[in-house]
Every structure is written in C-alpha cells, then in structure tokens.
Amino acid sequence: EVQLVESGGGLVQSGGSLRLSCAASGFTFRTYWMSWVRQAPGKGLEWVANIKEDGKKIKCVDSVKGRFTISRDNAKNSLYLQMNSLRAEDTAVYYCARVGLGTGWAFDIWGQGTMVTVSS
Amino acid sequence: EIVLTQSPGTLSLSPGERATLSCRASQSVSSSYLAWYQQKPGQAPRLLIYATSSRATGIPDRFSGSGSGTDFTLTISRLEPEDFAVYYCQQYGDSPTFGPGTNVDIK
C-alpha cells in the first residue's frame, strides 16, 4: 500500500523550532518529487516547499524562506521539514504530499497530517 | 504568483443533482497544470482530477473537469451522499497555489 506518515508536530513557543518527518512506503521514493502543504485551522491549503528526487533542487513559499528547510533521505525513504523561528501564523496541519508522475504537478498521495501549534 | 478564485463559496444541493464548480486564474494556466481535490472534515485532501480533465486512479466517472486559459470547471454529474465536501483547485505555474475552496453542502 502506498503510504505517507507524518510525525513530529506539537506545541512550541513563538521563536522555537520543530522538525517534521514523513515516512514513505509502498513506492520508489527516490523517483518522486515531494512536497509539504499546510492548512491553518478552518482555512484552505497552502503549498510550503518542494524537493527534487535527488534533493538537489528545492523551492519554498516566500513566507517561510530563511526559516524552513525541506530535505530528504532516500536511503531511509523519508522527507523532512526543519522549521525555525516559528510564528503564530505557522500554526497549521502539515501534510506531506507526493508529486504524481505525469500528473502535471498534482499531489497524488497525501499523508494524514501532523498538527503544529505555535503559541505566542 | 498566480491567484486562483473559486465560485461559489458554498453550493447547497440535494443528492442526485448536478454540481458545477468554477475556478478562475489571475493569468493563463497551462491545462497540463490544473488539478482538483476533495477534502472531507478531518481528512487529508484527495486528488480527483489532474491536467484539467484526467481522473485520478479510482475516481468515479461522475467527476469531470474541463476548461482552458483562465477558466476551469469541475462537474459532478449526480451528487452522491459521499460527495458533500470542500473542493479545491490547484495550479502549478512558477509555484503551486490553491484556490480558497468551494463547500458543497446538503440542501
């Protein structure tokens, strides 16, 4: 079964750090671009960051540049999001998502999400 | 950044009725890079349609997508009870962006 399982969320104070992890299984992880997408409580979806199959190309939304870093370990079938200098507006459910092959950058597989709460 | 606008914000319909959801982009989007998702409360989004009109694996044929340029549409031909949910469109131009969503609820 193709699956993504996130972990690492929790409650953190403003200015603090968290590292999210996403464990992939059921597919050849090293052949897919991967992303993080977040959803603030009661709000819509916001793409956060992308990483190329080999980890050599990354991109992120302007609001997290210089604070968040996406990375991956293909040997461990894992995706990560290091979040520093957290702000109240970063409070959200964070989803790990796979960029589908041949789907024109659609996210075809999603994890169940992990909640990050930043207290001010 | 390409901004997506969805209308209506809420669509109140009965099971068996046809639902037509609109997604409009602030500038032209390649039809290869427009997708639709369904999200139910407490669940992750699920990919329905990619490349404007291609159904994702396992998606029933009552879901269809169309459009080009700046105007795209998701149509649900006959609403089933499990189709009441929030629907998001998404594009990939320079970076992925999502629309604000349309809530399809039971009338």
Side-chain angles (χ1 to χ4, degrees), chain A:
Chain A
E1 179 191 5
V2 175
Q3 197 171 11
L4 298 170
V5 179
E6 301 94 336
S7 60
L11 176 63
V12 61
Q13 285 192 331
S14 180
S17 298
L18 275 178
R19 188 193 195 208
L20 306 184
S21 299
C22 171
S25 59
F27 65 98
T28 307
F29 179 73
R30 67 179 184 275
T31 64
Y32 288 85
W33 280 74
M34 296 295 297
S35 294
W36 289 98
V37 177
R38 67 184 178 182
Q39 187 170 36
K43 303 298 184 182
L45 301 167
E46 180 185 35
W47 166 77
V48 175
N50 280 340
I51 186 166
K52 195 173 183 287
E53 300 96 323
D54 59 8
K56 293 184 178 180
K57 187 171 183 178
I58 63 175
K59 193 167 188 178
C60 60
V61 69
D62 286 348
S63 60
V64 308
K65 281 181 181 174
R67 301 188 300 121
F68 290 13
T69 302
I70 187 172
S71 63
R72 65 192 295 162
D73 185 338
N74 287 342
K76 294 183 178 180
N77 291 332
S78 293
L79 177 72
Y80 306 101
L81 186 67
Q82 178 65 46
M83 304 186 296
N84 299 330
S85 302
L86 282 160
R87 305 167 180 167
E89 55 264 35
D90 296 318
T91 294
V93 174
Y94 285 74
Y95 294 102
C96 167
R98 187 180 82 172
V99 179
L101 296 176
T103 65
W105 277 93
F107 304 113
D108 67 341
I109 302 295
W110 296 67
Q112 86 289 349
T114 188
M115 183 71 204
V116 172
T117 303
V118 183
S119 65
S120 51

Side-chain angles (χ1 to χ4, degrees), chain B residues 21-102:
Chain B
L21 287 66
S22 174
C23 176
R24 179 162 290 179
S26 59
Q27 55 186 280
S28 185
V29 172
S30 167
S31 59
S32 298
Y33 299 134
L34 195 288
W36 291 91
Y37 301 84
Q38 177 193 69
Q39 187 178 34
K40 297 179 181 179
Q43 295 184 17
R46 177 174 71 144
L47 177 65
L48 297 175
I49 301 286
Y50 64 92
T52 298
S53 59
S54 297
R55 275 186 298 275
T57 303
I59 302 303
D61 61 8
R62 65 180 180 272
F63 291 93
S64 63
S66 63
S68 64
T70 59
D71 291 304
F72 298 87
T73 300
L74 174 70
T75 301
I76 310 170
S77 59
R78 293 175 315 278
L79 282 164
E80 297 288 341
E82 62 268 27
D83 298 337
F84 292 92
V86 179
Y87 293 83
Y88 295 95
C89 58
Q90 175 242 322
Q91 66 80 35
Y92 186 86
D94 183 46
S95 299
T97 57
F98 291 88
T102 290

